[in-house]
Amino acid sequence: MEVGAGIALAVGIIMGLAALGAALGVSRVASQTIEGIARQPEAKGSLQTTMFIGIGLVEALPIIATVIAFMLLGNL
């Protein structure tokens, strides 16, 4: 396998795992927020705010992975 093919394969794996990790993280944060709102409806506002911050932090993973992938592709 050539170096370019290996880098292209690595980029695909990086992007796929980042998307999978973000999807699992966001679903976990959202499900726990819904559970918390079901238990304490009066805390809905603060829970939603915390959820949006958490989802934003989880979504940083695929953005960082995309940057790393483009850096790797720049080395082709």
Side-chain angles (χ1 to χ4, degrees):
M1 182 185 321
E2 293 183 26
V3 174
I7 291 176
L9 183 63
V11 166
I13 291 172
I14 287 171
M15 297 298 287
L17 289 177
L20 177 66
L24 292 175
V26 167
S27 65
R28 174 78 180 195
V29 169
S31 70
Q32 293 297 314
T33 302
I34 291 170
E35 184 178 326
I37 291 171
R39 289 178 187 225
Q40 285 187 312
E42 66 274 1
K44 179 181 177 184
S46 65
L47 288 175
Q48 277 185 336
T49 303
T50 305
M51 178 190 72
F52 289 134
I53 292 170
I55 287 175
L57 291 173
V58 168
E59 286 295 325
L61 171 73
I63 294 170
I64 293 170
T66 303
V67 170
I68 292 171
F70 283 138
M71 289 171 55
L72 284 174
L73 283 176
N75 289 334
L76 286 177

